[in-house]
Short mmCIF file of all heavy atoms in Angstrom, two decimals:
data_model
loop_
_atom_site.label_atom_id
_atom_site.label_comp_id
_atom_site.label_asym_id
_atom_site.label_seq_id
_atom_site.Cartn_x
_atom_site.Cartn_y
_atom_site.Cartn_z
N ILE H 29 147.39 34.14 96.62
CA ILE H 29 148.65 33.64 97.19
C ILE H 29 148.40 33.05 98.57
O ILE H 29 148.90 31.97 98.91
CB ILE H 29 149.69 34.79 97.28
CG1 ILE H 29 150.18 35.17 95.89
CG2 ILE H 29 150.88 34.38 98.16
CD1 ILE H 29 151.05 36.41 95.87
N LYS H 30 147.61 33.75 99.39
CA LYS H 30 147.31 33.27 100.75
C LYS H 30 146.57 31.94 100.70
O LYS H 30 146.86 31.00 101.45
CB LYS H 30 146.46 34.31 101.50
CG LYS H 30 147.21 35.56 101.91
CD LYS H 30 148.10 35.28 103.11
CE LYS H 30 148.71 36.56 103.65
NZ LYS H 30 149.61 36.28 104.80
N ILE H 31 145.57 31.84 99.82
CA ILE H 31 144.76 30.63 99.71
C ILE H 31 145.61 29.44 99.28
O ILE H 31 145.56 28.36 99.87
CB ILE H 31 143.59 30.85 98.72
CG1 ILE H 31 142.57 31.83 99.33
CG2 ILE H 31 142.92 29.53 98.36
CD1 ILE H 31 141.57 32.37 98.32
N VAL H 32 146.41 29.64 98.23
CA VAL H 32 147.24 28.55 97.71
C VAL H 32 148.31 28.15 98.73
O VAL H 32 148.57 26.96 98.93
CB VAL H 32 147.86 28.94 96.35
CG1 VAL H 32 148.84 27.87 95.88
CG2 VAL H 32 146.78 29.15 95.31
N SER H 33 148.92 29.14 99.38
CA SER H 33 149.93 28.84 100.40
C SER H 33 149.32 28.08 101.57
O SER H 33 149.89 27.09 102.04
CB SER H 33 150.58 30.13 100.90
OG SER H 33 151.28 30.79 99.86
N GLU H 34 148.16 28.53 102.03
CA GLU H 34 147.49 27.85 103.14
C GLU H 34 147.14 26.42 102.77
O GLU H 34 147.31 25.49 103.57
CB GLU H 34 146.22 28.62 103.51
CG GLU H 34 145.34 27.96 104.58
CD GLU H 34 145.97 27.93 105.96
OE1 GLU H 34 146.93 28.70 106.21
OE2 GLU H 34 145.49 27.15 106.82
N SER H 35 146.67 26.21 101.54
CA SER H 35 146.29 24.86 101.11
C SER H 35 147.50 23.93 101.06
O SER H 35 147.40 22.74 101.34
CB SER H 35 145.59 24.90 99.75
OG SER H 35 146.50 25.25 98.72
N CYS H 36 148.66 24.48 100.70
CA CYS H 36 149.88 23.67 100.60
C CYS H 36 150.55 23.44 101.95
O CYS H 36 151.09 22.37 102.21
CB CYS H 36 150.87 24.34 99.65
SG CYS H 36 150.37 24.31 97.91
N ILE H 37 150.49 24.44 102.82
CA ILE H 37 151.22 24.35 104.09
C ILE H 37 150.39 23.65 105.17
O ILE H 37 150.84 22.69 105.80
CB ILE H 37 151.63 25.76 104.57
CG1 ILE H 37 152.62 26.39 103.58
CG2 ILE H 37 152.25 25.70 105.98
CD1 ILE H 37 152.88 27.85 103.81
N ASN H 38 149.17 24.13 105.37
CA ASN H 38 148.34 23.58 106.45
C ASN H 38 147.23 22.65 105.97
O ASN H 38 146.64 21.92 106.77
CB ASN H 38 147.72 24.72 107.27
CG ASN H 38 148.77 25.55 107.98
OD1 ASN H 38 149.71 25.02 108.56
ND2 ASN H 38 148.64 26.87 107.93
N GLY H 39 146.94 22.69 104.67
CA GLY H 39 145.83 21.87 104.16
C GLY H 39 146.25 20.65 103.38
O GLY H 39 145.41 19.87 102.95
N PHE H 40 147.56 20.47 103.20
CA PHE H 40 147.99 19.39 102.31
C PHE H 40 147.74 18.01 102.94
O PHE H 40 148.24 17.69 104.00
CB PHE H 40 149.48 19.52 101.97
CG PHE H 40 149.87 18.69 100.77
CD1 PHE H 40 149.91 19.27 99.52
CD2 PHE H 40 150.16 17.35 100.88
CE1 PHE H 40 150.25 18.52 98.39
CE2 PHE H 40 150.49 16.59 99.78
CZ PHE H 40 150.54 17.17 98.53
N TYR H 41 146.95 17.22 102.24
CA TYR H 41 146.72 15.82 102.60
C TYR H 41 146.42 15.10 101.29
O TYR H 41 145.31 15.15 100.79
CB TYR H 41 145.57 15.70 103.60
CG TYR H 41 145.34 14.29 104.10
CD1 TYR H 41 146.31 13.63 104.86
CD2 TYR H 41 144.17 13.60 103.81
CE1 TYR H 41 146.11 12.34 105.32
CE2 TYR H 41 143.96 12.30 104.26
CZ TYR H 41 144.94 11.68 105.01
OH TYR H 41 144.74 10.39 105.46
N TYR H 42 147.43 14.52 100.69
CA TYR H 42 147.40 13.96 99.34
C TYR H 42 147.34 15.07 98.28
O TYR H 42 148.00 15.01 97.26
CB TYR H 42 146.23 12.97 99.14
CG TYR H 42 146.39 11.70 99.93
CD1 TYR H 42 145.92 11.59 101.24
CD2 TYR H 42 147.03 10.60 99.37
CE1 TYR H 42 146.08 10.41 101.97
CE2 TYR H 42 147.20 9.43 100.09
CZ TYR H 42 146.73 9.35 101.39
OH TYR H 42 146.89 8.18 102.11
N LYS H 43 146.52 16.07 98.49
CA LYS H 43 146.42 17.24 97.61
C LYS H 43 146.41 18.50 98.49
O LYS H 43 146.07 18.44 99.68
CB LYS H 43 145.11 17.21 96.80
CG LYS H 43 144.96 16.01 95.87
CD LYS H 43 145.72 16.21 94.58
CE LYS H 43 145.38 15.09 93.58
NZ LYS H 43 146.15 15.22 92.33
N PRO H 44 146.76 19.65 97.92
CA PRO H 44 146.65 20.91 98.68
C PRO H 44 145.19 21.34 98.78
O PRO H 44 144.59 21.74 97.78
CB PRO H 44 147.48 21.89 97.85
CG PRO H 44 147.47 21.34 96.47
CD PRO H 44 147.38 19.85 96.60
N ARG H 45 144.60 21.26 99.96
CA ARG H 45 143.16 21.48 100.14
C ARG H 45 142.88 22.80 100.87
O ARG H 45 143.68 23.25 101.67
CB ARG H 45 142.56 20.33 100.95
CG ARG H 45 142.99 18.94 100.49
CD ARG H 45 142.65 17.89 101.54
NE ARG H 45 143.14 18.28 102.85
CZ ARG H 45 142.65 17.87 104.01
NH1 ARG H 45 141.64 17.03 104.03
NH2 ARG H 45 143.16 18.27 105.16
N ILE H 46 141.70 23.35 100.59
CA ILE H 46 141.28 24.57 101.28
C ILE H 46 139.79 24.46 101.60
O ILE H 46 139.02 23.85 100.85
CB ILE H 46 141.58 25.83 100.42
CG1 ILE H 46 141.61 27.08 101.28
CG2 ILE H 46 140.61 25.95 99.26
CD1 ILE H 46 142.81 27.18 102.18
N SER H 47 139.38 25.02 102.72
CA SER H 47 137.97 24.95 103.13
C SER H 47 137.19 26.15 102.61
O SER H 47 137.76 27.22 102.33
CB SER H 47 137.86 24.89 104.65
OG SER H 47 138.30 26.13 105.22
N LYS H 48 135.88 26.01 102.53
CA LYS H 48 135.03 27.14 102.14
C LYS H 48 135.09 28.25 103.18
O LYS H 48 135.00 29.43 102.85
CB LYS H 48 133.58 26.67 101.97
CG LYS H 48 133.31 25.94 100.68
CD LYS H 48 131.83 25.64 100.55
CE LYS H 48 131.54 24.78 99.33
NZ LYS H 48 130.13 24.40 99.25
N GLU H 49 135.24 27.85 104.44
CA GLU H 49 135.33 28.85 105.51
C GLU H 49 136.53 29.76 105.29
O GLU H 49 136.45 30.97 105.51
CB GLU H 49 135.42 28.17 106.88
CG GLU H 49 134.12 27.56 107.36
CD GLU H 49 133.00 28.59 107.48
OE1 GLU H 49 133.26 29.67 108.06
OE2 GLU H 49 131.89 28.33 107.01
N TYR H 50 137.64 29.18 104.87
CA TYR H 50 138.83 30.00 104.62
C TYR H 50 138.61 30.90 103.41
O TYR H 50 139.04 32.06 103.39
CB TYR H 50 140.06 29.11 104.40
CG TYR H 50 141.36 29.87 104.42
CD1 TYR H 50 142.05 30.08 105.62
CD2 TYR H 50 141.90 30.39 103.26
CE1 TYR H 50 143.24 30.79 105.64
CE2 TYR H 50 143.09 31.10 103.27
CZ TYR H 50 143.77 31.30 104.47
OH TYR H 50 144.93 32.02 104.49
N LEU H 51 137.92 30.38 102.39
CA LEU H 51 137.63 31.18 101.20
C LEU H 51 136.80 32.41 101.53
O LEU H 51 136.97 33.46 100.92
CB LEU H 51 136.90 30.33 100.16
CG LEU H 51 137.70 29.22 99.47
CD1 LEU H 51 136.81 28.47 98.49
CD2 LEU H 51 138.93 29.77 98.76
N LYS H 52 135.90 32.29 102.50
CA LYS H 52 135.05 33.42 102.87
C LYS H 52 135.86 34.63 103.29
O LYS H 52 135.52 35.77 102.99
CB LYS H 52 134.10 33.02 104.02
CG LYS H 52 132.97 32.11 103.62
CD LYS H 52 132.11 31.76 104.81
CE LYS H 52 131.00 30.79 104.43
NZ LYS H 52 130.18 30.38 105.61
N ASP H 53 136.95 34.38 104.00
CA ASP H 53 137.78 35.47 104.51
C ASP H 53 138.77 35.99 103.47
O ASP H 53 139.44 37.01 103.70
CB ASP H 53 138.56 35.01 105.75
CG ASP H 53 137.64 34.63 106.90
OD1 ASP H 53 136.56 35.24 107.00
OD2 ASP H 53 138.00 33.72 107.67
N ARG H 54 138.90 35.30 102.34
CA ARG H 54 139.89 35.67 101.33
C ARG H 54 139.27 35.82 99.94
O ARG H 54 139.96 35.67 98.94
CB ARG H 54 141.00 34.60 101.27
CG ARG H 54 141.82 34.47 102.54
CD ARG H 54 142.74 35.65 102.73
NE ARG H 54 143.50 35.56 103.97
CZ ARG H 54 144.32 36.50 104.40
NH1 ARG H 54 144.46 37.61 103.72
NH2 ARG H 54 144.98 36.36 105.54
N SER H 55 137.99 36.13 99.87
CA SER H 55 137.30 36.15 98.58
C SER H 55 137.41 37.49 97.86
O SER H 55 137.14 37.57 96.65
CB SER H 55 135.83 35.81 98.79
OG SER H 55 135.20 36.78 99.61
N GLN H 56 137.80 38.53 98.55
CA GLN H 56 137.84 39.85 97.94
C GLN H 56 138.83 39.88 96.78
O GLN H 56 139.96 39.41 96.88
CB GLN H 56 138.24 40.90 98.98
CG GLN H 56 138.11 42.33 98.47
CD GLN H 56 138.46 43.35 99.55
OE1 GLN H 56 138.74 43.00 100.68
NE2 GLN H 56 138.46 44.62 99.17
N GLY H 57 138.38 40.44 95.67
CA GLY H 57 139.25 40.58 94.51
C GLY H 57 139.37 39.32 93.68
O GLY H 57 140.25 39.24 92.81
N LEU H 58 138.50 38.33 93.91
CA LEU H 58 138.59 37.06 93.18
C LEU H 58 137.32 36.78 92.39
O LEU H 58 136.21 37.04 92.86
CB LEU H 58 138.85 35.91 94.14
CG LEU H 58 140.22 35.88 94.83
CD1 LEU H 58 140.26 34.77 95.87
CD2 LEU H 58 141.35 35.68 93.80
N VAL H 59 137.50 36.20 91.22
CA VAL H 59 136.41 35.62 90.43
C VAL H 59 136.51 34.11 90.59
O VAL H 59 137.60 33.54 90.57
CB VAL H 59 136.55 36.00 88.94
CG1 VAL H 59 135.55 35.20 88.09
CG2 VAL H 59 136.34 37.49 88.74
N ALA H 60 135.37 33.44 90.78
CA ALA H 60 135.35 31.99 90.96
C ALA H 60 134.52 31.35 89.85
O ALA H 60 133.43 31.82 89.52
CB ALA H 60 134.78 31.61 92.32
N LEU H 61 135.05 30.27 89.28
CA LEU H 61 134.34 29.48 88.27
C LEU H 61 134.15 28.07 88.81
O LEU H 61 135.03 27.52 89.48
CB LEU H 61 135.14 29.41 86.96
CG LEU H 61 135.73 30.71 86.40
CD1 LEU H 61 136.47 30.43 85.09
CD2 LEU H 61 134.67 31.76 86.19
N SER H 62 133.01 27.47 88.49
CA SER H 62 132.63 26.19 89.11
C SER H 62 133.47 25.00 88.66
O SER H 62 133.32 23.89 89.17
CB SER H 62 131.15 25.89 88.86
OG SER H 62 130.92 25.65 87.49
N ALA H 63 134.35 25.21 87.67
CA ALA H 63 135.31 24.20 87.21
C ALA H 63 134.66 23.10 86.37
O ALA H 63 133.57 23.26 85.84
CB ALA H 63 136.10 23.62 88.38
N CYS H 64 135.36 21.97 86.28
CA CYS H 64 134.98 20.86 85.40
C CYS H 64 134.01 19.92 86.11
O CYS H 64 133.37 20.29 87.08
CB CYS H 64 136.24 20.11 84.99
SG CYS H 64 137.22 19.60 86.43
N LEU H 65 133.94 18.69 85.64
CA LEU H 65 133.08 17.70 86.31
C LEU H 65 133.59 17.38 87.71
O LEU H 65 132.88 16.77 88.51
CB LEU H 65 133.03 16.41 85.48
CG LEU H 65 132.34 16.53 84.11
CD1 LEU H 65 132.51 15.24 83.32
CD2 LEU H 65 130.87 16.88 84.27
N GLY H 66 134.81 17.80 88.02
CA GLY H 66 135.34 17.64 89.37
C GLY H 66 134.95 18.77 90.30
O GLY H 66 135.24 18.73 91.50
N GLY H 67 134.28 19.80 89.77
CA GLY H 67 133.78 20.88 90.60
C GLY H 67 132.56 20.43 91.39
O GLY H 67 131.82 19.54 90.95
N GLU H 68 132.32 21.05 92.52
CA GLU H 68 131.25 20.58 93.40
C GLU H 68 129.87 20.64 92.75
O GLU H 68 129.12 19.65 92.75
CB GLU H 68 131.24 21.39 94.70
CG GLU H 68 130.22 20.89 95.71
CD GLU H 68 130.30 21.58 97.05
OE1 GLU H 68 131.05 22.59 97.17
OE2 GLU H 68 129.60 21.13 97.99
N VAL H 69 129.52 21.79 92.17
CA VAL H 69 128.19 21.94 91.57
C VAL H 69 128.05 20.98 90.40
O VAL H 69 127.07 20.24 90.29
CB VAL H 69 127.97 23.40 91.10
CG1 VAL H 69 126.58 23.54 90.48
CG2 VAL H 69 128.13 24.37 92.27
N ASN H 70 129.04 20.99 89.51
CA ASN H 70 128.98 20.13 88.32
C ASN H 70 128.91 18.65 88.69
O ASN H 70 128.17 17.87 88.08
CB ASN H 70 130.21 20.38 87.44
CG ASN H 70 130.45 21.84 87.14
OD1 ASN H 70 130.44 22.68 88.04
ND2 ASN H 70 130.67 22.16 85.89
N ASN H 71 129.67 18.26 89.71
CA ASN H 71 129.71 16.86 90.12
C ASN H 71 128.39 16.41 90.73
O ASN H 71 127.93 15.29 90.48
CB ASN H 71 130.86 16.66 91.11
CG ASN H 71 131.15 15.20 91.38
OD1 ASN H 71 130.69 14.63 92.37
ND2 ASN H 71 131.91 14.57 90.49
N LEU H 72 127.79 17.28 91.51
CA LEU H 72 126.49 16.94 92.11
C LEU H 72 125.39 16.83 91.04
O LEU H 72 124.53 15.95 91.11
CB LEU H 72 126.11 17.99 93.16
CG LEU H 72 126.95 17.96 94.44
CD1 LEU H 72 126.68 19.20 95.29
CD2 LEU H 72 126.66 16.70 95.26
N VAL H 73 125.47 17.70 90.04
CA VAL H 73 124.52 17.61 88.93
C VAL H 73 124.72 16.30 88.18
O VAL H 73 123.76 15.60 87.83
CB VAL H 73 124.69 18.81 87.98
CG1 VAL H 73 123.91 18.58 86.67
CG2 VAL H 73 124.22 20.10 88.65
N LEU H 74 125.98 15.93 87.95
CA LEU H 74 126.30 14.68 87.25
C LEU H 74 125.71 13.48 87.97
O LEU H 74 125.23 12.53 87.33
CB LEU H 74 127.82 14.53 87.15
CG LEU H 74 128.36 13.25 86.52
CD1 LEU H 74 127.93 13.15 85.05
CD2 LEU H 74 129.87 13.17 86.64
N ASN H 75 125.71 13.54 89.29
CA ASN H 75 125.17 12.43 90.09
C ASN H 75 123.69 12.60 90.42
O ASN H 75 123.17 11.94 91.34
CB ASN H 75 126.00 12.28 91.37
CG ASN H 75 127.38 11.74 91.09
OD1 ASN H 75 127.56 10.56 90.82
ND2 ASN H 75 128.40 12.61 91.15
N ASN H 76 123.05 13.52 89.69
CA ASN H 76 121.60 13.74 89.82
C ASN H 76 121.18 14.15 91.23
O ASN H 76 120.07 13.88 91.66
CB ASN H 76 120.83 12.48 89.38
CG ASN H 76 119.41 12.81 88.93
OD1 ASN H 76 119.17 13.89 88.36
ND2 ASN H 76 118.47 11.92 89.19
#
């Protein structure tokens, strides 16, 4: 809730954005998946 609210209130610029630094402080109790081809790891692999 904190992450999504922060991304919408203070991070919104065309899309609701959040930084990795903010995720570090709010990672407890969360599972993270690298997502689709739009995910950072997957996208970098796609671009070799």
Side-chain angles (χ1 to χ4, degrees):
I29 289 172
K30 288 285 188 182
I31 290 166
V32 174
S33 297
E34 175 68 17
S35 70
C36 290
I37 296 169
N38 296 317
F40 197 95
Y41 184 65
Y42 291 89
K43 298 279 188 182
R45 313 166 309 155
I46 200 71
S47 67
K48 282 186 186 175
E49 287 300 313
Y50 192 88
L51 291 179
K52 286 179 183 177
D53 297 328
R54 296 288 178 184
S55 62
Q56 188 178 356
L58 292 173
V59 171
L61 313 181
S62 67
C64 54
L65 294 173
E68 184 174 9
V69 180
N70 309 49
N71 191 263
L72 290 169
V73 168
L74 177 64
N75 289 285
N76 204 33

